[in-house]
Amino acid sequence: MSVDVTDADSVDAAVAAHVAHFGGLDVMVANAGIAVTAPLIETTAEQWQQTMDVNLRGVFHCYRSAARQMITQGRGGRLIGAASVAAHRGGKWQGAYSASKFAVRGLSQSVAQELAEHQITVNVYSPGVVHTPMWEGIDAAMTRRRGTELGSEMTAMVAGIPLGRLETPDDVAGVVAFLASREADYITGQSIVVDGGIWFS
């Protein structure tokens, strides 16, 4: 089923459908996200709001709906949110995106403290430059503004990645799978940066 994370009822319906089919809910991964690449003075109020609605409000809806279900079940669970290396360091022309991701970290740290008594852990993962359509869109916006060749911005970013390559979705999936596993039982309120070495905290 399709889900609109900006709509609380849509998220609640998805959780209910999952529970009806599988008999419960143990892991929620709040992964939906968008990025606006624009200088502050050109960012519209609509772009700002849409970014916050998807990237932050969406995580809030997913966390809240899943937590209610997990508390009712009484067996703990995992809430996992999508942050970004931009949640640790702001980037040029990424004001709305970075602000939303910093907020996801703050929300997750607070909720981790609230839900610990229910044995529900809350963590985020912070990818770097992942070779996805979203990053291709960021590259297109940046090259258009700079008058450079399409693809050149993403290629240039590789020079700043110590591991020397763009990230793949599988690089991220492994971290998410770990956070959902029993091996991560004692990890909560954390942000695991998976970016090839761009950011050292």
Side-chain angles (χ1 to χ4, degrees):
M1 66 182 295
S2 62
V3 181
D4 178 0
V5 297
T6 69
D7 180 358
D9 290 341
S10 180
V11 174
D12 288 345
V15 168
H18 180 93
V19 171
H21 185 78
F22 293 101
L25 177 69
D26 298 299
V27 178
M28 167 63 82
V29 180
N31 186 62
I34 60 171
V36 172
T37 302
L40 171 69
I41 60 174
E42 295 180 19
T43 301
T44 67
E46 290 76 20
Q47 287 174 318
W48 175 273
Q49 190 59 56
Q50 184 183 27
T51 302
M52 295 301 161
D53 283 348
V54 175
N55 295 0
L56 178 57
R57 189 178 179 191
V59 172
F60 163 71
H61 286 157
C62 289
Y63 279 5
R64 186 178 63 176
S65 186
R68 287 170 172 167
Q69 176 62 34
M70 291 172 182
I71 290 170
T72 297
Q73 292 171 180
R75 65 186 190 219
R78 301 278 195 269
L79 303 182
I80 304 170
S84 167
V85 70
H88 302 262
R89 178 183 63 191
K92 186 176 182 179
W93 301 336
Q94 295 293 321
Y97 181 73
S98 188
S100 71
K101 295 301 186 178
F102 264 86
V104 167
R105 283 183 64 211
L107 172 65
S108 300
Q109 289 173 9
S110 294
V111 173
Q113 295 178 60
E114 294 177 25
L115 297 178
E117 65 183 273
H118 300 287
Q119 299 302 304
I120 299 170
T121 64
V122 189
N123 295 288
V124 302
Y125 54 97
S126 294
V129 185
V130 189
H131 198 174
T132 60
M134 187 179 83
W135 261 103
E136 289 173 357
I138 292 172
D139 174 87
M142 293 179 76
T143 54
R144 184 171 59 251
R145 289 183 177 279
R146 289 182 168 148
T148 52
E149 184 179 350
L150 187 66
S152 62
E153 290 295 327
M154 194 175 290
T155 298
M157 289 175 191
V158 175
I161 302 174
L163 287 182
R165 65 173 175 84
L166 292 174
E167 191 166 350
T168 69
D170 283 345
D171 292 323
V172 183
V175 174
V176 175
F178 166 70
L179 289 173
S181 73
R182 299 185 72 176
E183 284 73 20
D185 275 355
Y186 204 62
I187 300 174
T188 196
Q190 303 304 310
S191 174
I192 297 184
V193 179
V194 48
D195 68 354
I198 297 172
W199 170 260
F200 293 97
S201 57

